[in-house]
Amino acid sequence: MSKKKLVLIGNGMAGVKTIEEILHVSKSSFEITIIGEEPYPNYNRILLSKVLQGDTTVDDITLNDWSWYEENDIQLFVNEKVVGIDINTKVVTTNIGTAIPYDELIIATGSKPFILPIPGSDKEGVTTFRDIKDTDEMVNASKNYSRAAVIGGGLLGLEAARGLLNLGMEVTVVHLGNNLMDRQLDATAASLLKTDLERQGMKFLLEKNTTEIIGENRVEYLKFADGDELACDLVVMAVGIKPNIELAHKTGLNTNRGIIVNDYLQTSIPHIYAVGECAEHDGIAYGLVAPLFEQAKVLAKAICGLESSPYEGSVVSTQLKVSGVEVFSAGEFIEGGEKKALRIYDEQDGLYKKVVFKGKKIVGAVLFGDSREGTRLFSMIKKQADISDTVKVSLLQPVGGDTGESIVASMEADEVICGCNGVSKGSIVQAIHEQGCNSVEGIKACTSASRSCGGCKSLISELLEITLGDNFDPATQKETLCGCTSLSRDEVIEAIREKQLMHTREVMNVLEWTTSDGCSKCRPALNYYLGMIHPLEYEDESESRYVNERLHANIQKDGSFGVVPRMYGGVTNSDQLRKIADVADKYNAKLLKVTGGQRIDIFGIEKEDLPKVWEELDMPSGYAYGKTLRTVKTCVGETFCRFGTQDSMSLGIALEKRLERVGSPHKFKMAVSACPRNCAESGIKDFGIVGVEGGFEMYVGGNGGTHLRAADLLGKVKTAEEVIEYASAYFQYYRETGVYLERTSKWLERMGLENIRVVMENPKERKELNERLNIAVTVQEDPWKKIIGNEKIKNELFEKVTVQQ
């Protein structure tokens, strides 16, 4: 029996969650195709604020990486927008002419950010905060400008403001209303929040109506209805979202504010469904993740022909930290008429709690500063629990009073702990008993609890302790390698060495991974650790690497690739430049850009042309995509500069040739400056060298990115040979002790500069580290040349691919 064709329009959280649920209940029912407008796999949009704030990276918020689509036989089209649906022939068409037939169609186009219809809203420097592109724009703006205005004092606006503060900008939040987060908080809680955020450095202009954005090309200031003005270089509009129904309306589906659906997420046209922020159920279009995931579960069963309870709408709650401040809100939190409120307000400690009653039932709540009772209150609101026999004030007191009894202990099995993913206490307890989960990461892997916003992690940890009793080991709450194992990075490495494990699958089997194939976090990490431990014996598993590393080029937002050949020490010649120019012309490169690492990036190369481009360049790979040494930036040094005290170019070239291609936990950048004027920016590199009279100063742990960090002085040596010896030992020590995807700036802070110095100043240890590095160097070969000479690899990587990128 042939599979039915299922097409999903939209590669976001709600749509892909529906696909996950379909795979869970009936994996073999459909031939699945997903079409997404962004050039990325499915990622957690909720955590974009953490990326902006510098707490995590885009890679870390990926929910399903490229390999997930391949493993589940899902054809993925990225960078394509569906522009037409033919309901008669059952074919969808994209903006570049791709035609895809369907038997069942799910529309999950999400929402669009609302742009104020005011003059100047199209100027340079005006952005929204909705996707990775917006996040990148704000990060880039912070490098060149200092003043930001965020229009909108809701949750999204405040998260954007906090991120821009972290990036070093002066931030003013402009809000039309008189209270912040007025959809989630009452006036008292909003006032407390404003006071806390002002202490953090945020400025606020409330009851301000923005009427115009002024500037010649780029924004220069805002103008308000009352005549006031605000100078700014960046404007972030966070004034709301609206369901993206353009395609649905064009197709003839019934729409209102969103795409109108019934209790099984069916639209007005047979075989077409809608889910997520674009769907409108019973007059409501939901914008929070929990209702969207509830919809996904109903739709998955319905589309698979399985019996399912109908979707009857959702009671929404918000439990989060706004810039470190605990906030909870649920239900109807504004009193009046039949709705009465009970409040507790501790002005001294900044605590505020309110429960709203309607007759004998709780209908809403607001908590500020301490949200521990949030889960219990939300459960009572959803159940419409009768509280006739309850002393009302006890609802706002921690369970057990001063006895320390856990809130989780008092919860019923059907009460939800992870609101985003709808995971109950009972489901988590079942995973602990039946699947052996004994850590928060393990619970995440087994049940998806804490997978979205992460706000329930503390409750899960409490539940683990209660459920496991004497078998609860606090050590298992350490940071595990991933959710597939209860082992830490150090324990995995120790086991690989002791048991002489040689393959990723062998590690997973012997160390009893909870998943047979691992995940996008552990597969590349194990691949790195195995190669680091067994450099001579281990054969690199390209399938365990991220897509850029597999294809040895950087994928761009339009699906083309950037090619960066290596230029040792940033030094080139006319022959190399002619080759780059010829290749750029022949293969229609869209841009040639000098990089910050003193190389040339050739943008806009199509995937199938990459091997031919590499062959005609006849230059080594610059590894601009790799977790290895990227560049050694140099100044011209004593060769030409009248201030130079050392030969920086020769030293830079020697260092780059010494360390190139050797894998490391993360990218590694170096620089050599010939004098204290520091023209090569050695003070913000992973390893930077500054020439001084009579020798060189060595600086380590610098970072010039989002987490700006000045490098620390490691020590001073007299000769270039000593620099190479120390740099090589330092690089190898980082290779052996670093956590995969941990930059040296974080590694140095974790390990301690003085502890690293002790190792580096020990001649015996320095020599042994260099010897181990020598072994790793011997097995390295240029990947471009390897692929050029191997037809099998060329066919596998550049012709026979299932993921359309």
Side-chain angles (χ1 to χ4, degrees):
M1 182 176 177
S2 61
K3 293 183 179 181
K4 294 169 71 176
K5 292 179 171 61
L6 171 62
V7 174
L8 168 65
I9 302 175
N11 192 32
M13 293 178 70
V16 176
K17 178 66 174 179
T18 305
I19 298 299
E20 289 178 341
E21 293 292 337
I22 289 171
L23 293 172
H24 178 67
V25 299
S26 186
K27 188 168 186 175
S28 59
S29 295
F30 296 102
E31 181 182 307
I32 301 171
T33 300
I34 301 177
I35 308 161
E37 290 186 38
E38 292 189 77
Y40 309 100
N42 174 234
Y43 65 88
N44 190 338
R45 197 180 302 274
I46 299 171
L47 297 181
L48 275 175
S49 59
K50 293 187 178 295
V51 176
L52 180 64
Q53 292 167 18
D55 296 331
T56 189
T57 66
V58 171
D59 286 342
D60 293 332
I61 68 171
T62 298
L63 292 171
N64 301 95
D65 67 357
W66 303 108
S67 61
W68 177 82
Y69 298 88
E70 296 175 4
E71 291 163 3
N72 288 287
D73 295 321
I74 296 171
Q75 187 173 34
L76 172 65
F77 293 87
V78 295
N79 271 321
E80 293 193 43
K81 178 181 179 180
V82 175
V83 294
I85 301 172
D86 189 324
I87 61 175
N88 296 313
T89 61
K90 287 189 171 183
V91 172
V92 301
T93 307
T94 74
N95 59 319
I96 63 171
T98 305
I100 304 167
Y102 71 87
D103 295 308
E104 306 291 343
L105 178 66
I106 301 173
I107 300 176
T109 47
S111 291
K112 291 182 175 180
F114 184 74
I115 304 292
L116 291 177
I118 58 176
S121 60
D122 58 348
K123 289 191 180 296
E124 182 184 347
V126 179
T127 185
T128 55
F129 185 26
R130 187 66 182 160
D131 54 26
I132 291 173
K133 179 183 176 183
D134 294 335
T135 305
D136 288 342
E137 185 172 345
M138 285 187 271
V139 171
N140 291 332
S142 72
K143 296 174 181 177
N144 301 301
Y145 302 97
S146 60
R147 300 168 302 181
V150 177
I151 304 178
L155 173 59
L156 195 62
L158 296 180
E159 288 183 332
R162 179 63 260 177
L164 292 169
L165 276 178
N166 286 9
L167 293 171
M169 299 193 80
E170 179 185 318
V171 183
T172 302
V173 177
V174 179
H175 190 51
L176 184 61
N178 56 4
N179 291 316
L180 299 175
M181 287 184 65
D182 38 21
R183 292 188 177 183
Q184 289 90 16
L185 303 179
D186 64 6
T188 304
S191 176
L192 287 167
L193 178 61
K194 178 173 176 287
T195 300
D196 264 22
L197 297 181
E198 284 173 334
R199 291 194 192 106
Q200 297 179 27
M202 277 188 216
K203 299 177 182 178
F204 296 95
L205 293 176
L206 302 182
E207 298 182 86
K208 285 288 187 181
N209 182 15
T210 308
T211 56
E212 190 173 359
I213 299 173
I214 309 294
E216 188 170 340
N217 294 310
R218 187 179 182 89
V219 57
E220 295 175 12
Y221 60 92
L222 299 181
K223 190 171 184 179
F224 303 115
D226 60 7
D228 287 350
E229 296 175 349
L230 174 68
C232 55
D233 314 298
L234 173 70
V235 173
V236 180
M237 287 200 187
V239 291
I241 57 175
K242 54 183 179 181
N244 184 1
I245 62 171
E246 178 183 342
L247 177 64
H249 185 73
K250 179 180 175 183
T251 304
L253 296 171
N254 288 347
T255 60
N256 185 30
R257 183 166 181 267
I259 305 169
I260 297 174
V261 296
N262 65 14
D263 291 350
Y264 295 94
L265 289 305
Q266 297 165 323
T267 68
S268 56
I269 295 179
H271 306 290
I272 300 181
Y273 305 80
V275 69
E277 293 177 336
C278 66
E280 178 180 327
H281 175 268
D282 201 18
I284 300 174
Y286 294 93
L288 296 175
V289 69
L292 313 187
F293 284 5
E294 290 174 10
Q295 293 175 2
K297 291 180 179 181
V298 173
L299 173 53
K301 288 186 177 180
I303 207 168
C304 291
L306 303 175
E307 186 175 343
S308 169
S309 300
Y311 176 69
E312 297 177 337
S314 301
V315 178
V316 296
S317 72
T318 303
Q319 182 161 354
L320 65 158
K321 282 190 177 182
V322 183
S323 297
V325 182
E326 287 192 24
V327 174
F328 171 85
S329 169
E332 304 171 47
F333 59 86
I334 301 297
E335 67 272 23
E338 296 181 356
K339 292 181 287 187
K340 308 297 180 183
L342 171 67
R343 297 181 183 82
I344 294 177
Y345 182 20
D346 183 346
E347 187 175 7
Q348 183 173 355
D349 291 337
L351 298 177
Y352 174 69
K353 303 180 182 184
K354 181 174 81 172
V355 176
V356 178
F357 304 92
K358 187 174 182 180
K360 299 177 180 179
K361 297 176 181 177
I362 302 175
V363 295
V366 173
L367 306 174
F368 181 90
D370 179 3
S371 60
R372 286 178 294 172
E373 296 85 29
T375 301
R376 178 168 56 108
L377 291 172
F378 183 53
S379 177
M380 297 176 78
I381 294 169
K382 288 190 71 173
K383 290 180 177 179
Q384 297 187 350
D386 189 323
I387 49 99
S388 301
D389 298 327
T390 304
V391 179
K392 290 181 179 178
V393 73
S394 67
L395 297 170
L396 293 176
Q397 295 173 339
V399 174
D402 297 327
T403 65
E405 183 185 350
S406 167
I407 291 174
V408 178
S410 67
M411 293 173 65
E412 300 294 332
D414 62 347
E415 290 189 37
V416 171
I417 282 185
C418 177
C420 294
N421 294 283
V423 184
S424 68
K425 173 183 175 180
S427 297
I428 295 173
V429 171
Q430 185 177 8
I432 294 170
H433 288 312
E434 297 181 6
Q435 295 177 266
C437 298
N438 63 354
S439 68
V440 174
E441 286 296 315
I443 294 297
K444 182 199 291 187
C446 293
T447 69
S448 289
S450 80
R451 189 182 180 204
S452 297
C453 77
C456 58
K457 285 184 177 180
S458 61
L459 293 177
I460 296 171
S461 182
E462 284 185 36
L463 183 54
L464 280 162
E465 185 172 1
I466 293 167
T467 307
L468 292 171
D470 293 339
N471 293 323
F472 177 76
D473 181 3
T476 62
Q477 305 313 303
K478 60 188 176 293
E479 185 174 352
T480 59
L481 185 69
C482 69
C484 304
T485 178
S486 60
L487 300 175
S488 69
R489 174 257 185 211
D490 292 344
E491 289 168 332
V492 170
I493 286 180
E494 183 181 1
I496 291 172
R497 286 196 167 108
E498 285 185 356
K499 301 176 186 296
Q500 285 296 296
L501 305 177
M502 301 299 296
H503 305 284
T504 56
R505 289 299 179 98
E506 185 181 20
V507 173
M508 294 174 189
N509 290 333
V510 173
L511 302 186
E512 299 180 343
W513 247 235
T514 59
T515 54
S516 59
D517 297 324
C519 67
S520 60
K521 187 175 181 181
C522 67
R523 284 194 301 269
L526 289 177
N527 187 54
Y528 167 71
Y529 294 139
L530 285 162
M532 181 267 293
I533 295 167
H534 305 300
L536 297 178
E537 300 87 358
Y538 182 67
E539 184 174 345
D540 185 81
E541 297 180 0
S542 61
E543 65 272 18
S544 293
R545 290 185 174 271
Y546 295 116
V547 63
N548 287 348
E549 295 175 281
R550 290 204 305 272
L551 298 178
H552 299 283
N554 281 324
I555 189 170
Q556 306 301 320
K557 62 190 292 184
D558 63 355
S560 66
F561 287 80
V563 173
V564 184
R566 191 173 289 285
M567 294 177 175
Y568 294 100
V571 178
T572 187
N573 56 48
S574 57
D575 181 52
Q576 289 182 342
L577 294 175
R578 285 191 190 94
K579 288 178 180 176
I580 291 172
D582 290 343
V583 161
D585 289 340
K586 181 175 180 179
Y587 294 97
N588 301 311
K590 298 174 183 177
L591 175 70
L592 292 176
K593 179 76 172 65
V594 178
T595 73
Q598 299 177 333
R599 296 181 293 185
I600 294 176
D601 198 336
I602 310 168
F603 285 94
I605 302 299
E606 297 302 321
K607 179 162 55 179
E608 59 269 21
D609 291 332
L610 287 172
K612 291 176 283 188
V613 167
W614 299 337
E615 186 170 11
E616 292 175 34
L617 281 173
D618 191 27
M619 297 169 67
S621 168
Y623 275 87
Y625 50 83
K627 309 293 189 294
T628 179
L629 173 69
R630 292 284 180 91
T631 59
V632 182
K633 189 173 182 178
T634 66
C635 65
V636 296
E638 66 178 9
T639 310
F640 290 98
C641 180
R642 58 196 176 96
F643 298 106
T645 63
Q646 304 290 350
D647 184 356
S648 54
M649 288 189 292
S650 294
L651 178 54
I653 291 169
L655 283 165
E656 194 158 350
K657 289 186 175 181
R658 165 65 168 153
L659 302 177
E660 66 175 328
R661 306 188 187 115
V662 181
S664 54
H666 213 303
K667 58 188 175 184
F668 193 90
K669 297 182 179 181
M670 304 181 72
V672 184
S673 297
C675 75
R677 289 173 180 267
N678 207 355
C679 294
E681 301 171 335
S682 301
I684 53 170
K685 301 300 181 188
D686 296 285
F687 197 104
I689 300 103
V690 177
V692 294
E693 287 295 336
F696 301 89
E697 291 177 343
M698 301 177 295
Y699 292 86
V700 294
N703 193 325
T706 304
H707 301 281
L708 185 63
R709 185 185 192 278
D712 296 312
L713 179 65
L714 177 67
K716 183 177 178 180
V717 294
K718 292 182 179 180
T719 67
E721 290 74 20
E722 288 177 293
V723 170
I724 295 172
E725 179 188 347
Y726 272 83
S728 299
Y730 182 86
F731 182 67
Q732 181 65 14
Y733 193 49
Y734 167 53
R735 293 185 70 232
E736 294 178 358
T737 58
V739 176
Y740 187 70
L741 298 184
E742 178 183 43
R743 290 296 303 272
T744 61
S745 54
K746 296 292 185 185
W747 171 75
L748 184 143
E749 290 174 356
R750 177 172 63 84
M751 299 287 289
L753 177 62
E754 289 305 318
N755 295 328
I756 294 172
R757 271 205 190 110
V758 169
V759 175
M760 293 299 106
E761 293 300 333
N762 184 318
K764 182 175 181 291
E765 291 198 60
R766 209 165 55 241
K767 179 184 177 184
E768 291 173 350
L769 286 164
N770 269 274
E771 288 172 349
R772 292 196 292 274
L773 178 62
N774 291 340
I775 296 172
V777 168
T778 61
V779 298
Q780 305 305 319
E781 59 180 315
D782 182 70
W784 290 357
K785 283 186 170 57
K786 180 179 178 181
I787 291 171
I788 291 167
N790 191 312
E791 290 300 321
K792 181 174 181 289
I793 296 178
K794 274 198 286 190
N795 289 338
E796 288 176 353
L797 288 177
F798 302 100
E799 293 179 25
K800 297 177 181 179
V801 293
T802 57
V803 177
Q804 307 300 311
Q805 298 169 349

